[in-house]
Amino acid sequence: MNIRLTRQHKNFVFAAILLLPSIILLALTIISPLIKSVFMSFTDYSLLSSEQNWNNLANYSELLQSSEFYHSLQITLVYVFITVLIDLLLGMGLALVLNRDIRFRAFFRSIIMIPWAIPTIVTALIFLWIYQTDYGVLNYSLLHLGVIDDNVNWLQSTRFALPSIIVVAIFRQTPLVAVMLLAGLQGIPGSLYEAARMDGASGWKLFTQITLPMLKPVISSVTLIMIVNNFQMFTLFFSLTNGGPAGSTTSLAILTYVTAFSRYEMGKASAIGVIWLVLLFVFSMIFTRIMNRDDR
């Protein structure tokens, strides 16, 4: 018994030594800044002043009474909902096509990840040229097709700015969703489909009774990942519109940046981040519980 305990202790110490560098790195890069941000959210810390006074819940009270905060939250929720929904629908369609025995399937599977492989900032710069008012390829194509009568300023219009950002996000993220769903489709045994076809099941029945239930864990994981990633999307909003025009694309990420580095109110910006974190945590818990409810 003593020898066994000694071996267990040695294994534990060995595992701890292996994990220690990662734990230290995690503490320095994530845990420590998180604790500091939470602390700053209860202060009036400003980049314009060396003083940092404790102000209890003043930052949170001001934010929860601010129409600007709710406007940014609304924009973020609209962006996340539309983007993730279309990502899932298009990704599922692409995954189903690439899972079939089509010609040049290997080639299409190879190139599908190109939009995701391109850095976000590079994608934003490409679409800045595409959306350009006077000589962008989008206006040029739509004018020649007769869809529009005059050039549209896509990124400086309160009507089109947010949809334009959503299009860029969908272009970049759909390939990742498709590949993850494709991996899930390849894990479904073909014998299930063969048995269902012998029973006379139609294509729609196969999809709803076999494909979707078997893909549920993958769909759940992909959806949660996409929601979290898009909820904290900053690069596209900052590069394409910088929150404009007239605040029509000021998401929570942009509001946090503006509050911290344009207004220099680091305490209030930290409070936005904490509220943001709490919202994501609560949503993740509820979403996971709902998705796992039928598996118990």
Side-chain angles (χ1 to χ4, degrees):
M1 178 64 67
N2 291 335
I3 297 178
R4 183 182 177 185
L5 290 175
T6 302
R7 289 178 178 176
Q8 288 179 346
H9 290 153
K10 288 182 178 180
N11 290 337
F12 176 79
V13 172
F14 180 69
I17 293 174
L18 292 179
L19 292 173
L20 187 60
S22 300
I23 294 174
I24 294 175
L25 183 63
L26 183 66
L28 292 176
T29 58
I30 297 179
I31 299 177
S32 176
L34 178 61
I35 294 175
K36 184 176 181 180
S37 296
V38 173
F39 174 79
M40 283 196 303
S41 70
F42 294 99
T43 68
D44 61 356
Y45 177 52
S46 171
L47 292 178
L48 300 177
S49 174
S50 58
E51 296 183 3
Q52 185 173 334
N53 300 314
W54 187 267
N55 64 358
N56 297 320
L57 298 173
N59 292 328
Y60 293 96
S61 176
E62 187 175 345
L63 284 173
L64 295 178
Q65 297 177 24
S66 169
S67 59
E68 184 182 35
F69 173 77
Y70 290 108
H71 175 69
S72 298
L73 178 60
Q74 179 184 0
I75 290 173
T76 303
L77 293 176
V78 170
Y79 163 78
V80 170
F81 177 78
I82 297 176
T83 301
V84 173
L85 178 62
I86 298 178
D87 277 343
L88 288 173
L89 294 176
L90 293 180
M92 178 63 75
L94 283 173
L96 291 173
V97 171
L98 294 176
N99 195 48
R100 297 172 65 89
D101 189 15
I102 60 174
R103 196 175 184 185
F104 303 119
R105 181 174 66 175
F107 171 74
F108 289 124
R109 286 182 176 180
S110 301
I111 67 171
I112 190 176
M113 284 298 290
I114 291 178
W116 175 256
I118 300 174
T120 307
I121 184 64
V122 176
T123 303
L125 292 175
I126 292 173
F127 274 87
L128 277 174
W129 286 94
I130 293 175
Y131 287 140
Q132 213 283 332
T133 305
D134 298 319
Y135 47 84
V137 66
L138 180 59
N139 277 335
Y140 177 84
S141 301
L142 294 179
L143 280 171
H144 280 72
L145 291 173
V147 178
I148 58 177
D149 298 324
D150 196 8
N151 288 332
V152 177
N153 196 341
W154 300 98
L155 297 177
Q156 294 303 317
S157 166
T158 55
R159 179 182 177 185
F160 296 114
L162 185 59
S164 298
I165 295 176
I166 291 174
V167 168
V168 181
I170 292 170
F171 167 80
R172 187 172 187 275
Q173 297 170 8
T174 298
L176 177 65
V177 176
V179 169
M180 296 178 73
L181 293 177
L182 177 61
L185 286 172
Q186 292 179 331
I188 301 176
S191 57
L192 295 177
Y193 293 105
E194 294 175 4
R197 290 192 187 97
M198 293 178 62
D199 291 337
S202 62
W204 179 249
K205 282 288 186 180
L206 293 176
F207 179 72
T208 57
Q209 301 298 323
I210 297 178
T211 304
L212 282 182
M214 295 294 289
L215 274 183
K216 182 181 176 182
V218 179
I219 294 175
S220 175
S221 299
V222 171
T223 302
L224 187 57
I225 291 172
M226 288 295 105
I227 288 175
V228 172
N229 286 344
N230 281 288
F231 210 93
Q232 59 188 6
M233 175 59 69
F234 173 79
T235 306
L236 290 182
F237 284 90
F238 183 78
S239 303
L240 294 173
T241 63
N242 196 21
S248 59
T249 59
T250 302
S251 63
L252 282 178
I254 293 295
L255 179 62
T256 305
Y257 173 83
V258 170
T259 303
F261 301 109
S262 294
R263 304 171 185 169
Y264 308 113
E265 298 175 336
M266 295 297 293
K268 189 182 295 184
S270 299
I272 298 174
V274 172
I275 296 175
W276 186 353
L277 176 64
V278 171
L279 288 175
L280 278 178
F281 177 77
V282 172
F283 171 80
S284 300
M285 294 293 291
I286 296 174
F287 180 82
T288 304
R289 181 177 293 271
I290 292 174
M291 295 302 293
N292 295 335
R293 183 171 53 189
D294 297 333
D295 297 334
R296 297 178 180 177

